[in-house]
Amino acid sequence: EATAALETAAAEYPAEVDAKLYARTMSALQQANSIEGALDALEAGSKRFPDQRAAFEDGAAKLAAMLQAGAGADPEAIERLKSLGYL
């Protein structure tokens, strides 16, 4: 899983793994239609970098729009996004 690998890298190389890397990972997972993976990256990044919320806001907004789109709406994922404070 991408987020687990990112968390391992962050523990081993904390100076190299920043909020932007988590945000890029979230975006890549979202583009690959891995909503759960994108939410995992958002959650992990938000917890690791709580003072850098702005790094995640654009990606979270795109994810929210994707989750709320028509018949593809995913109530569980929407609730998870709400619990993270991005919706």
Side-chain angles (χ1 to χ4, degrees):
E1 161 177 309
T3 302
L6 192 55
E7 287 288 281
T8 300
E12 293 180 19
Y13 308 100
E16 285 81 23
V17 179
D18 60 7
K20 289 180 184 180
L21 183 56
Y22 277 84
R24 287 192 304 268
T25 301
M26 176 184 64
S27 178
L29 289 165
Q30 180 182 343
Q31 289 175 4
N33 287 325
S34 176
I35 301 304
E36 191 70 27
L39 284 168
D40 288 346
L42 174 61
E43 183 174 8
S46 295
K47 287 180 181 177
R48 186 170 290 273
F49 301 101
D51 59 331
Q52 297 183 38
R53 184 176 175 87
F56 305 103
E57 289 180 350
D58 286 343
K62 290 176 185 174
L63 187 56
M66 184 180 198
L67 290 172
Q68 294 175 321
D74 182 343
E76 290 179 20
I78 290 169
E79 283 305 312
R80 188 168 172 201
L81 197 57
K82 283 181 183 178
S83 76
L84 295 171
Y86 288 97
L87 190 63

